[in-house]
Amino acid sequence: MMTRLIAALLAATFASAATAQDAAIGTWQTEVDDGAFAHVSMTPCAGAVCGTIVNTYKADGTPYQSENIGRQIVIGMAPKGDGTYAGQVYRPSNGKTYIGKMQVSGNALRLQGCVAGGLFCASQDWARVK
């Protein structure tokens, strides 16, 4: 009896962690940055969410083969339970990694990269592709 109770509690704990991540899982389109945009695949990674560039496009929508395809740009975004996440963001155009914040609401995602302990942030609004 006790073993079943412990198993049920563990299953519920893991299910709630996976559910918290579900909102961010999928493919998202970035805003145009430095004349191009990308599709980023957000997947579970070690209890968090990570995002990897899977396709790149010029601002006019023309696909092109960027050297950043396959690069992880959303790193270890841990869910906080209210649609927000905290982790790191990598910006390929300058090669820098920033403190990352993310908020998901339906098919909209706001990603922020911050410096100075989060005092100064730049953000992008992404749209769900699938």
Side-chain angles (χ1 to χ4, degrees), residues 14-33:
F14 290 121
S16 65
T19 302
Q21 293 177 7
D22 285 350
I25 303 302
T27 302
W28 297 85
Q29 181 173 309
T30 69
E31 284 185 18
V32 173
D33 187 17

Side-chain angles (χ1 to χ4, degrees), residues 52-68:
T52 303
I53 296 174
V54 292
N55 294 304
T56 52
Y57 304 87
K58 295 181 181 180
D60 66 4
T62 305
Y64 80 100
Q65 194 66 29
S66 167
E67 67 276 3
N68 292 309

Side-chain angles (χ1 to χ4, degrees), residues 37 42-43 49 71 82-83 91 122:
F37 67 92
M42 304 286 266
T43 59
V49 175
R71 183 179 301 270
D82 58 355
R91 186 173 183 204

Side-chain angles (χ1 to χ4, degrees), residues 11-12 28 30 32-34 41 43 49 73-74 79 82 87 92 96-97 99-101 107-108 110 117 120 122 126 129:
W28 297 85
T30 69
V32 173
D33 187 17
D34 293 329
S41 175
T43 59
V49 175
I73 62 169
V74 177
D82 58 355
K96 294 187 179 185
T97 301
I99 295 168
K101 299 177 185 178
N107 290 325
R110 172 161 278 213
F120 302 102
W126 294 4
V129 176

